[in-house]
Every structure is written in structure tokens, then in C-alpha cells.
Amino acid sequence: SIKVDTNNKNYVSEDGVLFDKDKSILIQYPTGKTTEEYTIPDSVTSIGEAFAYCDSLNSITIPDSVTSFEIDAFYACRNLTTITIPNSVTSIGNEAFRACLNLPAITIPESVTNIGSYAFVYCDSLTSITIENPECEIYDSEGTISDTATIYGYEGSTAQTYAEKYNRKFENLVDA
């Protein structure tokens, strides 16, 4: 649990979780918390390096108010199995889901225009990643998306280009 003095001008704590003063940025979810599920408050618009090494969490609910995941947002959240990215999110930061070892599938909504470097590297259980935006910019590196994942996207999309460049299995969303 993270505790913040009520007179602190920059930070606030709610249920032991650290936020900026207006609760628009989720800064840190305590790694020692033992809950398996967490629902992010509706006031949050950005997630910092908040969930790194939060091994107890297997499900995180993200509200429509969130627009971005910053660098390392869910880094090594090893037991995460369920996460839904809302249509409000426009960018996924570098290494955002790196080493989420038990995440089996993820859908990147059409609203996302950018997937940062190594965003899904070392996601050893990732078998399916759906990229709904045909023009989503995917960082040009073999390690951005785990090689265990089938990439689902549209014919002629950046997802298809990425899959072909790095010899990944690709499935056309129209045919899927």
C-alpha cells in the first residue's frame, strides 16, 4: 500500500494506489498487493509505469477515459491473463506489455495509432494479437510483437506488412 499525506500538493493515494493529485495519471499500483483484479478509476487518462511486476493481478479493467499506456505500463505483469483496451486509447508505449508471460490474446482497437518498441516482447503465451487499425504504426523491430502470436489484421494493413517482414503468421480479419 502506498500512503500519501493529505496535504501533499502533487500526489494522492486511493486504496493504496498512487495517482497524481487530480487522479488523471495512475503512477504506481503496489507490487505487493495480493488482489487478482483491479478496476482503474474513471478519472484516469494515462497509465504510467504503474503495473510493473504486479504478479498477483490477472485481470485489469480499463475505463474509456484512458488514452495512453506509457513506457513499461504493464511490464512483467506476469500473471495478467485478461485485459481489454478501450476504444479511447490512442497509443501503446514502448515495452508496455513486455514480459506479460501469461497473456494469451489481446485486441488493439482501431483508435490505437501507434504501438511502441518491444510493446509485446517476451509475451510467451501470446497466441493472438488483433490490430484493428489498418494504418497503426508498429515500431519496426522483430521484437515489438512476440513471435508466438498470430497477427490478425486487414489485407494491405501495417499489421500484414509487419507480419510478412518478420515471417509471422498473419490472418486477414475479413476471413477470420
Side-chain angles (χ1 to χ4, degrees), residues 68-133:
S68 66
F69 303 145
E70 303 303 323
I71 295 171
D72 296 338
F74 303 95
Y75 177 77
C77 196
R78 292 180 275 245
N79 290 312
L80 184 65
T81 58
T82 305
I83 191 163
T84 300
I85 300 173
N87 290 323
S88 56
V89 173
T90 59
S91 68
I92 297 175
N94 299 345
E95 302 184 26
F97 291 91
R98 179 182 178 159
C100 286
L101 301 177
N102 289 301
L103 185 65
I106 193 158
T107 297
I108 311 300
E110 190 171 355
S111 59
V112 174
T113 59
N114 179 292
I115 298 173
S117 65
Y118 307 103
F120 297 96
V121 70
Y122 305 128
C123 292
D124 298 344
S125 296
L126 191 65
T127 59
S128 170
I129 183 167
T130 301
I131 302 173
E132 294 180 340
N133 181 346

Side-chain angles (χ1 to χ4, degrees), residues 136-151:
C136 181
E137 182 181 326
I138 304 168
Y139 185 82
D140 190 12
S141 169
E142 186 173 13
T144 297
I145 298 173
S146 178
D147 62 3
T148 59
T150 297
I151 299 170

